[in-house]
Amino acid sequence: MVPLFLSCEPFFSKNKVENRYNLTLDESRVINILRTSMIIFVIYAHSLNLLGIVNAHEPRVLRIIHKVIFAILQRGGGVAGLVLFYSISAILLFRKPFTFISNGKKKFFSLVVPYFLWNSFWIAVIYLMQLNAKFRAASLSGIAGLHGRPIDHWGLWNWVNAYIGLGGKWMPFLYPFWFVKDLIVLNLLAVIIKFVVDRFPVPSIIGLVLIVVFRPELYIVRCYSLVAFVIGYLIVKYRVPLSSVKKIACPILVFALFVGYVLTFVHGTYLLGSLVASIAMYMVLLRLAFFAVGRKKICNWFMSLSRFSFLAFAFHEYTISLIAYCIGCFIPLSYAVRFLEFLLLPVVVILMCAGLSVLLSKTNVMKILTGGR
């Protein structure tokens, strides 16, 4: 007899994974707001390289703002955003019945197709730009966020790595799409994840804690991606309503967030501080999303942004790098200029994507590029 954990039954069984987790209208809006705001958060986090290093001779106010921005986007905030992304994806998957086959078909069009299309698009764009000798040198030195061989010198391994993201930092050519790649893998493993957590709930939770503490290399998926995805399933499994976060007093969350950030600057407590700050930031972002839902104008603004947020996610990295590179060719890059680039270039990209979404809204192109979002 083949042990159940070695059989293919969880993958090809026609029995649906049954989970009923109801979302209120407000909670559905909160999820939309969080997904949109986290993409904006990610765009600014990926734009941190524009700031570079602040020099000691710069005004003290700029140096303080610089440290605050890095603290928010890198220490705790980035991990909290990651946890929100994957836990929300898991909640939306596990809240309704599905099979491995039905989920695979759906995710092929919503994740796999956009993943390969956008990587192919940016490979083509950078290839054409590398035909220019000056940009070719700049791209290879990392100015445009690229490293390694010119595309016209790629071998088979380079092409495979550009799409699959094997080796190194396990990132595809369009490196922000490592998030999409991990999400594809997690959806493939979703049935197995549910089986393991249902059969061994306590050991599974202990395993999650150990993964967070030791951060092992899992090779096929990042450890934090897996942990966040399982957290999303645990929310569904134990019927924890998202609105329960409103029961936690704001002063407690703010205090926990402050303590977490302070610990990240103390030698020997960085990991503990990041964990505390991430959990507190997760709760704070949920509270802010519920606050936004209660404000009609703010809520409608986020709903409008959500229509093209994935487009902005796919466009932002190389577009911002290329615009910044062009600016640097004509304007001396003082810290003030770099700070303005950091503040304004993400806004420019978002506005560009808004215009593009309007142009493509009545065609099937938009649905294909965004996976039907």
Side-chain angles (χ1 to χ4, degrees):
M1 180 177 179
V2 180
L4 183 56
F5 67 87
L6 292 178
S7 85
C8 295
E9 183 180 352
F11 289 105
F12 299 106
S13 172
K14 293 183 179 179
N15 297 323
K16 291 186 175 182
V17 174
E18 293 285 349
N19 278 301
R20 292 291 180 179
Y21 179 81
N22 296 321
L23 292 171
T24 65
L25 179 60
D26 279 355
E27 287 174 335
S28 295
R29 288 174 175 170
V30 161
I31 285 176
N32 268 328
I33 289 172
L34 285 172
R35 292 166 83 174
T36 303
S37 57
M38 286 304 97
I39 284 179
I40 296 172
F41 191 93
V42 165
I43 292 173
Y44 273 98
H46 288 170
S47 301
L48 281 174
N49 63 308
L50 297 176
L51 290 176
I53 300 173
V54 59
N55 297 318
H57 66 268
E58 298 289 354
R60 181 176 175 80
V61 175
L62 280 181
R63 297 204 302 272
I64 293 173
I65 293 174
H66 181 94
K67 289 181 179 179
V68 170
I69 290 172
F70 269 79
I72 293 173
L73 294 178
Q74 283 194 332
R75 298 171 184 260
V79 178
L82 176 71
V83 174
L84 275 169
F85 264 130
Y86 285 110
S87 61
I88 286 172
S89 297
I91 289 170
L92 295 177
L93 171 63
F94 288 109
R95 67 181 292 263
K96 293 181 179 179
F98 69 92
T99 65
F100 176 80
I101 300 297
S102 66
N103 185 48
K105 289 179 179 177
K106 181 179 179 181
K107 294 305 189 297
F108 177 78
F109 292 103
S110 64
L111 294 175
V112 178
V113 171
Y115 177 83
F116 280 94
L117 283 178
W118 282 109
N119 271 290
S120 299
F121 170 79
W122 281 111
I123 289 173
V125 169
I126 300 302
Y127 168 78
L128 292 174
M129 298 190 75
Q130 283 185 346
L131 296 177
N132 176 277
K134 186 176 181 180
F135 180 80
R136 187 186 188 92
S139 66
L140 295 178
S141 66
I143 291 176
L146 305 169
H147 300 273
R149 292 183 178 182
I151 294 173
D152 57 5
H153 286 92
W154 278 7
L156 177 61
W157 174 254
N158 299 107
W159 281 102
V160 171
N161 190 42
Y163 286 97
I164 308 301
L166 298 174
K169 295 183 179 180
W170 298 86
M171 293 181 181
F173 185 83
L174 181 57
Y175 87 82
F177 266 44
W178 67 262
F179 163 79
V180 180
K181 187 191 79 169
D182 277 11
L183 196 53
I184 292 170
V185 174
L186 289 168
N187 272 275
L188 290 173
L189 298 176
V191 177
I192 296 299
I193 289 171
K194 181 187 184 302
F195 169 77
V196 172
V197 173
D198 286 348
R199 281 294 184 93
F200 313 104
V202 175
S204 296
I205 294 172
I206 294 173
L208 292 182
V209 174
L210 292 176
I211 289 174
V212 171
V213 172
F214 294 104
R215 293 177 288 179
E217 178 61 73
L218 302 180
Y219 298 104
I220 61 171
V221 68
R222 283 168 178 74
C223 59
Y224 281 135
S225 304
L226 175 63
V227 169
F229 196 77
V230 176
I231 288 173
Y233 174 59
L234 290 172
I235 290 173
V236 172
K237 177 179 173 62
Y238 294 107
R239 304 291 194 274
V240 181
L242 296 180
S243 57
S244 61
V245 72
K246 293 191 288 186
K247 297 178 181 178
I248 305 174
C250 287
I252 294 176
L253 293 178
V254 173
F255 179 73
L257 189 61
F258 173 77
V259 170
Y261 278 127
V262 169
L263 289 175
T264 63
F265 289 98
V266 178
H267 180 70
T269 60
Y270 177 82
L271 183 60
L272 175 63
S274 293
L275 183 60
V276 173
S278 298
I279 294 172
M281 180 67 82
Y282 185 97
M283 302 296 183
V284 168
L285 291 172
L286 271 174
R287 285 296 300 262
L288 289 174
F290 274 105
F291 173 82
V293 165
R295 303 322 187 257
K296 188 174 180 180
K297 288 185 178 179
I298 298 176
C299 184
N300 290 340
W301 184 75
F302 273 107
M303 293 301 107
S304 298
L305 283 178
S306 67
R307 298 170 190 167
F308 54 87
S309 58
F310 185 84
L311 202 61
F313 177 63
F315 254 108
H316 79 275
E317 177 58 32
Y318 289 141
T319 304
I320 289 176
S321 295
L322 293 171
I323 295 174
Y325 170 71
C326 293
I327 291 173
C329 291
F330 300 99
I331 301 175
L333 291 180
S334 65
Y335 186 80
V337 171
R338 286 186 278 127
F339 189 76
L340 286 174
E341 285 182 341
F342 169 77
L343 289 179
L344 299 178
L345 290 187
V347 177
V348 170
V349 169
I350 290 171
L351 291 175
M352 287 170 58
C353 291
L356 187 59
S357 69
V358 172
L359 293 175
L360 299 177
S361 61
K362 295 182 179 179
T363 69
N364 289 326
V365 176
M366 186 69 174
K367 291 183 180 179
I368 295 172
L369 292 177
T370 63
R373 292 171 178 81

